[in-house]
Amino acid sequence: MLISHVFEDRVLHVTLLRDLDVTGRAAVALHIETLLAAHGPRHVRIQLPTSDPSPASLSVLARARRLCEGLGTPLTVVGPVRVAPHARPAAA
């Protein structure tokens, strides 16, 4: 699996589960196109797995941007989520 998605409140949230290579690029682009056609979102949010995406990942983002522009749908791209360290109880 290369991506995961959630559709809630007419927002399509797509997460790239790993940085893409050339072999996965076409499959992910087609999957995003299918999701856009099926859900007709009012907004699309794509989350990248790394702050330094591969050329194939950037290619998918460019394709998604063109698709969203054609539909008049805003697109937001966000970087990886950082997990905050567990809070430690204060010393007594």
Side-chain angles (χ1 to χ4, degrees):
M1 181 182 286
L2 299 172
I3 68 171
S4 66
H5 76 280
V6 175
F7 184 69
E8 64 181 0
D9 297 327
R10 296 202 54 218
V11 177
L12 177 61
H13 301 270
V14 177
T15 302
L16 273 63
L17 300 176
R18 61 182 171 93
D19 207 20
L20 300 174
D21 56 17
V22 173
T23 59
R25 179 185 62 188
V28 170
L30 181 60
H31 196 165
I32 291 172
E33 184 174 1
T34 302
L35 290 170
L36 288 170
H39 294 293
R42 67 173 171 76
H43 191 92
V44 176
R45 179 183 170 275
I46 298 179
Q47 182 176 351
L48 299 174
T50 178
S51 58
D52 186 23
S54 67
S57 293
L58 292 175
S59 175
V60 166
L61 289 177
R63 174 77 176 146
R65 183 184 59 84
R66 287 191 303 272
L67 290 168
C68 287
E69 282 179 353
L71 296 170
T73 304
L75 170 67
T76 301
V77 178
V78 297
V81 172
R82 293 195 175 135
V83 178
H86 294 346
R88 294 184 182 165

